[in-house]
Amino acid sequence: MSSYQKIADLFKTPPVGSQVTVKGWVRTFRNNQFIALNDGTCLQSLQVVVDSDKEDPIVLTQLSPGAAISAEGTVVESQGKGQAIELKAEHIHVYGGSDPEKYPLQPKKHSLEFLREIAHLRFRTSTFGAVFRIRHALAFAVHKFFNDRDFYYLHTPIVTASDAEGAGEMFRVSTLNPLQPPLTEDGGIDYKQDFFGRETNLSVSGQLEAELGALALSRVYTFGPTFRAENSNTSRHLAEFWMIEPEVAFADLKDNQDLAEAMLKYLIGYVLEHNAEDLAFLEERLIKEESQKPQDQRSAMNLIEKLEFCLAEDFERLSYTDAIRVLMNSKPNKKKKFQFVIEDWGADLQSEHERYLVEKHFKKPVILTDYPKEIKSFYMRMNDDGKTVGAMDILFPGIGEIIGGSQREERLDVLTARMDEMGIPQEELYWFLDIRKYGSCPHAGFGLGFERMVQFVTGMANIRDVIPFPRTPGNASF
Ligand code: ATP
Ligand code: MN
């Protein structure tokens, strides 16, 4: 690789007067003279000025949107507006041309729906460049946050034999011939003959394994792909998504809330500091989009304002019981405007209720705790009232649930009683019970859906637009 300059570096410290080489993809080529060249290192394209009298005419015909080129020349102060510098090209090399008639990314505004159909090319748009640079920054910040706080990154398995979490439908992993699977005597599929000698699935969570790590390493986190075969075709659900799951020994529900709030604020602050240009672009994009909507449906804050607001405010913390009281007294509940009207304590909260609490009532991020045991998982710690468990959900404006977590039940007898009640077989989870037998201790953790975080920070309305290649019901292209 011969040496060349990143366009981001040229803008940062413009080496006016010096000779440089840049490489990237042509966004536009105007008047047989001006190339907008983008190499993905930053939002802004570099204007490359071609001397069409001197340049090879064949090269000129190849300079169409999409082409990959290098340009060598002198950095000069720009005559035109909109950019400080431009490159006066003396030599252009075309690595790969593009067909101007067929290239799907024409220099005009394309809808996000259309761009989803050409996800292999959408990285080359300003919007997706910004989204994926921010996605990267968030991922990096996740590791930095935990590393700085003495957490160890633990890789939990993707193929799993336990369906204990009950977090949703799972994808089966099997090498058996689907047309003629081996059968047991009573006619079922004989998974003993399958690859792992038992039924296996793609993991819905790394939590149970992370708990094992935490009870030796004190603080661990996972950050990996997670799979749910639930048929929820919403703007907030993917069949394959990435989840961050810290697990902390000697921690209770209060510690858990503090950690989650600190982490969310750190991630928001990191992007505000490091991705200002991309955020400003996405904010502009949203402002244009919002201006199409009726006045009463527009959001009260612009993107950056909203992020700064979340950084500055303490999250509202309240119990499920208090939240039910707020909801039952709310206008939409009394006027039966909710699709699911809350009748009693014990009701599962739907996203309309979560969003009411966050967007209408408290108008800031909310942490709900201590849910009825009936609507939460078996491993959550039983409270003294015998009715609620030490669960916490964090609700964000525009997103709803962004984090789900809990203090874990560390008392063996309480845990096994709860498993019996819920019909969860203990043999399969002997290892999960073992850490309650040998040196058990209070511990807590949570799961952050990474794409929901990217959605919140970028303001992208659909979760399909914050992961490179979304997997959703009926779609696994690319
Ligand atoms: P929801 O009620 O929104 O479907 P959940 O309660 O099933 O979520 P958890 O099992 O608590 O989700 O998972 C932890 C976090 O993972 C959630 O708070 C959310 O941020 C994220 N998450 C869960 N399911 C999905 C999904 N299908 N696609 C993307 N992110 C998800
Ligand atoms: Mn949840």
Side-chain angles (χ1 to χ4, degrees):
M1 191 169 70
S2 59
S3 89
Y4 65 97
Q5 304 281 310
K6 286 179 291 172
I7 291 174
D9 292 342
L10 295 187
F11 285 132
K12 242 174 262 162
T13 35
V16 173
S18 36
Q19 186 82 6
V20 302
T21 301
V22 291
K23 303 186 182 194
W25 292 265
V26 174
R27 284 278 168 92
T28 56
F29 183 43
R30 290 184 299 116
N31 300 349
N32 219 24
Q33 194 180 11
F34 301 111
I35 304 171
L37 190 70
N38 194 285
D39 68 356
T41 58
C42 61
L43 182 81
Q44 210 188 333
S45 297
L46 178 70
Q47 173 148 293
V48 177
V49 186
V50 184
D51 187 341
S52 39
D53 295 334
K54 289 196 196 140
E55 193 54 70
D56 176 353
I58 296 181
V59 166
L60 287 177
T61 62
Q62 291 176 318
L63 293 176
S64 64
I69 66 165
S70 75
E72 194 190 334
T74 316
V75 177
V76 297
E77 276 173 30
S78 181
Q79 306 301 312
K81 50 179 169 11
Q83 69 260 326
I85 51 161
E86 59 192 31
L87 187 76
K88 214 164 156 297
E90 281 131 40
H91 178 72
I92 296 208
H93 172 74
V94 178
Y95 287 97
S98 170
D99 183 337
E101 303 298 315
K102 295 198 180 132
Y103 188 54
L105 289 173
Q106 293 301 322
K108 62 161 194 167
K109 194 166 156 49
H110 294 290
S111 73
L112 294 174
E113 290 76 14
F114 169 73
L115 291 172
R116 240 170 261 152
E117 288 166 20
I118 52 160
H120 56 307
L121 293 169
R122 67 179 178 171
F123 298 110
R124 296 182 183 191
T125 62
S126 296
T127 298
F128 286 95
V131 166
F132 290 116
R133 278 188 295 273
I134 290 175
R135 185 181 165 109
H136 162 79
L138 279 170
F140 183 80
V142 164
H143 289 299
K144 181 153 170 53
F145 174 84
F146 286 118
N147 184 65
D148 288 352
R149 284 159 189 76
D150 303 314
F151 282 69
Y152 298 111
Y153 181 24
L154 195 72
H155 297 92
T156 50
I158 291 167
V159 175
T160 172
S162 68
D163 179 20
E165 253 253 90
E169 291 295 306
M170 304 177 96
F171 290 101
R172 181 166 302 142
V173 175
S174 173
T175 54
L176 294 178
N177 178 354
L179 298 175
Q180 268 182 317
L183 300 179
T184 56
E185 273 172 13
D186 49 15
I189 293 174
D190 185 7
Y191 287 105
K192 284 213 174 62
Q193 296 187 46
D194 204 345
F195 188 90
F196 295 106
R198 57 193 299 182
E199 211 177 332
T200 50
N201 297 290
L202 294 179
S203 178
V204 296
S205 159
Q207 178 206 318
L208 301 191
E209 290 90 351
E211 286 190 42
L212 312 178
L215 265 70
L217 298 164
S218 287
R219 281 169 295 274
V220 300
Y221 71 103
T222 72
F223 186 173
T226 310
F227 305 87
R228 299 199 183 168
E230 51 198 349
N231 206 345
S232 34
N233 241 321
T234 76
S235 59
R236 302 175 309 118
H237 288 91
L238 291 163
E240 176 182 290
F241 63 101
W242 288 68
M243 185 144 66
I244 294 135
E245 295 177 281
E247 194 66 37
V248 185
F250 310 108
D252 62 16
L253 195 63
K254 162 86 168 54
D255 301 321
N256 210 25
Q257 295 173 71
D258 292 345
L259 178 69
E261 184 167 342
M263 180 196 66
L264 291 169
K265 287 180 167 165
Y266 180 85
L267 297 180
I268 292 169
Y270 188 90
V271 171
L272 279 170
E273 188 184 332
H274 292 88
N275 300 76
E277 187 190 32
D278 287 326
L279 278 180
F281 172 81
L282 291 170
E283 174 167 281
E284 270 312 305
R285 195 190 151 269
L286 283 172
I287 290 171
K288 276 191 211 125
E289 207 169 73
E290 292 266 309
S291 66
Q292 315 284 324
K293 291 185 193 166
Q295 197 82 35
D296 61 327
Q297 283 174 34
R298 294 184 198 166
S299 48
M301 282 184 229
N302 288 334
L303 180 63
I304 295 169
E305 234 177 336
K306 179 188 80 177
L307 297 177
E308 281 167 351
F309 175 80
C310 286
L311 262 192
E313 291 288 315
D314 286 338
F315 295 2
E316 185 72 32
R317 301 184 184 192
L318 77 163
S319 70
Y320 165 91
T321 303
D322 288 341
I324 285 292
R325 207 169 291 139
V326 170
L327 287 167
M328 288 183 52
N329 283 324
S330 72
K331 253 197 212 148
N333 205 64
K334 287 182 170 160
K335 294 192 168 165
K336 304 209 189 307
K337 286 271 163 61
F338 283 139
Q339 199 185 339
F340 298 90
V341 174
I342 306 258
E343 312 270 5
D344 284 309
W345 188 92
D348 204 352
L349 299 185
Q350 306 296 325
S351 102
E352 57 180 343
H353 310 126
E354 298 177 342
R355 295 185 65 163
Y356 174 83
L357 291 171
V358 174
E359 289 158 29
K360 296 278 178 330
H361 191 82
F362 293 109
K363 296 191 164 71
K364 58 168 155 164
V366 170
I367 310 184
L368 288 187
T369 59
D370 304 296
Y371 283 71
K373 63 178 185 192
E374 286 77 15
I375 57 174
K376 288 290 178 188
S377 305
F378 76 95
Y379 51 72
M380 298 190 177
R381 193 176 196 280
M382 186 68 70
N383 286 329
D384 292 342
D385 61 13
K387 282 167 36 187
T388 60
V389 291
M392 67 167 204
D393 276 7
I394 302 191
L395 314 176
F396 258 31
I399 302 286
E401 182 188 326
I402 196 161
I403 278 181
S406 66
Q407 183 170 345
R408 318 305 188 190
E409 184 55 77
E410 85 283 15
R411 299 160 297 187
L412 182 66
D413 53 335
V414 183
L415 182 61
T416 52
R418 190 80 190 109
M419 289 170 78
D420 288 346
E421 229 173 80
M422 295 176 73
I424 296 167
Q426 293 180 26
E427 315 79 65
E428 271 200 28
L429 285 177
Y430 75 91
W431 42 272
F432 190 68
L433 297 174
D434 264 4
I435 56 162
R436 273 81 181 167
K437 290 180 192 160
Y438 312 124
S440 191
C441 72
H443 60 288
F446 59 81
L448 166 69
F450 185 56
E451 284 74 18
R452 292 200 188 164
M453 188 67 198
V454 183
Q455 264 191 290
F456 180 71
V457 172
T458 59
M460 298 300 282
N462 196 311
I463 199 165
R464 292 166 179 79
D465 296 330
V466 297
I467 188 166
F469 301 105
R471 269 81 184 97
T472 49
N475 175 38
S477 301
F478 310 104

